[in-house]
Amino acid sequence: MVAEVVYCERVPYLEWVQGEFADNFFTVDGRVNAHRRVEDKQQVGKQPAEERPWEARSVWLSSERLKLTAKCDVVTGKEGRVAVVEYKRGKRPPVPEGARLPQRVQLCAQVLLLREHGYDCDEAWIWYVAGREKVAITIDDPLIEMTHAAIARVREVTAQPTPPPPLVNDRKCRGCSLAGICLPDELQLLKDAERKPSNDTSTEPRPHVPLPVAPVKLRRLYSADDQKSPLYVQEQGATVGVTKNRLYVKTKDGERTEVRLPHTSQVCLFGNVQVSTQAVRTLLMRGIPIAYFTTGGWYAGRTLTHDTNNVDLRIAQYAAASDELWRLQLSRALIENKILNQRTLLRRNHSQPDPVALKELKHLSRKALDADARASLLGIEGTAARVYFRELPGAFKGKATVTDTFDYQGRNRRPPRDPLNALLSLTYALLTKEWSVTLQLVGLDPLLGFLHEPRFGRPALALDLMEPFRPIISDSVVLGLINNGEVDERDFITGATGCALTKYGRKKVLAAYERRLAQEVKHPVFGYRISYRRVIEVQARLLARHLTGEIEAYPSFRTR
């Protein structure tokens, strides 16, 4: 953290105070290639005789006086003197000091710790793995003074109630693994959009002002998609276990399938599927959620590792939940964007959309912004849903044996009574799971919503934020399945009480849903292309920034 505060003051706050961390190529390469030898060959024991050279690896030291703790990669000793060696993954940078300031401060802090423990230490080295070069770092009085100042600055920064502002258009952000969490360029764009005109003297807050499309394409500082996939297990009686770096699924018939843990984002279990304790522990240690569904696809809950350290975010969420005006303003924006996304889906896919219905949806979206209470807002949303589902069958171009069974009066569920509603129910359950898991990983409480009232076991916040995404993800998946002929009447079981998907039909839906989440889309505010899965994470993090006061507005996602 001492090195990080010199690099960027926002990083130690996110990592230490809020408990956030993410890997990228540089962090993984440094951990696997640069530090593997250090970690694998720890030497524990008494210091050898001073007349012989000795070496110790992964030496952890702490000092209450310095208020500092650190792990030294390598400590070498000879003739009563010691030297510290730090491993770095790259090559020597083109600077006369042999290393950039954050790395030199890090080495100096380790030297101070060794001195504090009574060692005579004046030597510090950096071993650059890629360049295979050992560079000496000079520990002089100016560097020691800067190191003490950095230690004090970490304490000051981490004692603040909110993180320091992000860097503005800085090159350092390009290689930072926290760029997708920090969102420096995105926050700066939103702050610029929120600035009041010079002639605006009002003091009223503007928590949900309209946000313009970015005038230029922002830098995308993180990958468009994390290239990981969920593992879905719906074979009844199957067992999920772990062996080395892989998960395996074993069916009752003895068939065995394996997937690599580094390529797994979630584990989703349908019905009676067993998970070994070893597998649960391994998934928790790697931060991989386990989601549980009923056999029919009803989302039941999840298993996650411990929450983030960001208790201030939870406090801000609970405070916002008691502010009725704040809840109404956020709910207005969510419902407005949901109705407009429904309208866009009809315009894009309906063979002959009814102009009256499109005009009515446009009118209802404007009424949503003027709603004076959440109860009336829910009424507007319900009216828009009836108009939307009345027109939705015109967007289906699949087989009549499936499309003709749709209930023209709109949605029905618990259980759904026709194939299309069965498809919609499953995709909505999957989307609820996606939002619930993402919100909890970000540090929010999925059960405490702002539009939907809290209810035992209901992920109200996930239901709130997924509203604008229902048409563009879930409904779009169903349209593709029907119009591309991927499902037909053989994929459904219809009984006296309702309609359900077969095992094979559900498998087709899961595949189509994952394809949709992996599809890249241009963000309407930031201008770059990212996958829908990344969009959900970005929107969750932006809501967190909005709750903690870093930005005034939550930019709902609206397609054009």
Side-chain angles (χ1 to χ4, degrees), residues 133-286:
E133 183 178 3
K134 190 176 181 181
V135 178
I137 303 300
T138 303
I139 307 298
D140 52 17
D141 290 340
L143 182 59
I144 293 174
E145 184 178 346
M146 282 189 286
T147 303
H148 282 295
I151 295 171
R153 184 57 183 160
V154 173
R155 295 285 174 181
E156 294 172 3
V157 166
T158 55
Q160 299 174 0
T162 57
L167 301 176
V168 178
N169 197 27
D170 199 297
R171 291 180 58 189
K172 296 178 183 177
C173 299
R174 287 195 176 276
C176 180
S177 67
L178 298 184
I181 298 172
C182 176
L183 301 175
D185 291 3
E186 292 83 348
L187 295 185
Q188 188 61 43
L189 175 69
L190 295 177
K191 289 179 179 179
D192 291 343
E194 292 162 358
R195 291 197 179 104
K196 294 182 180 181
S198 57
N199 58 355
D200 186 356
T201 59
S202 65
T203 59
E204 293 296 323
R206 304 185 307 160
H208 301 292
V209 296
L211 297 173
V213 176
V216 295
K217 181 179 178 181
L218 289 185
R219 302 178 299 174
R220 180 166 54 77
L221 299 172
Y222 51 93
S223 61
D225 192 46
D226 59 9
Q227 304 301 316
K228 296 182 180 180
S229 301
L231 170 64
Y232 289 95
V233 185
Q234 60 171 341
E235 186 71 30
Q236 300 305 290
T239 301
V240 180
V242 63
T243 174
K244 295 184 178 179
N245 208 30
R246 294 176 178 269
L247 284 175
Y248 67 84
V249 180
K250 189 174 181 180
T251 67
K252 291 190 297 184
D253 299 332
E255 295 182 7
R256 182 180 172 117
T257 305
E258 293 187 356
V259 295
R260 297 194 67 227
L261 276 166
H263 297 164
T264 305
S265 61
Q266 302 171 10
V267 176
C268 303
L269 311 177
F270 287 78
N272 300 317
V273 179
Q274 303 297 319
V275 189
S276 70
T277 303
Q278 294 86 344
V280 172
R281 184 175 61 247
T282 300
L283 292 170
L284 289 176
M285 292 177 63
R286 289 176 173 263

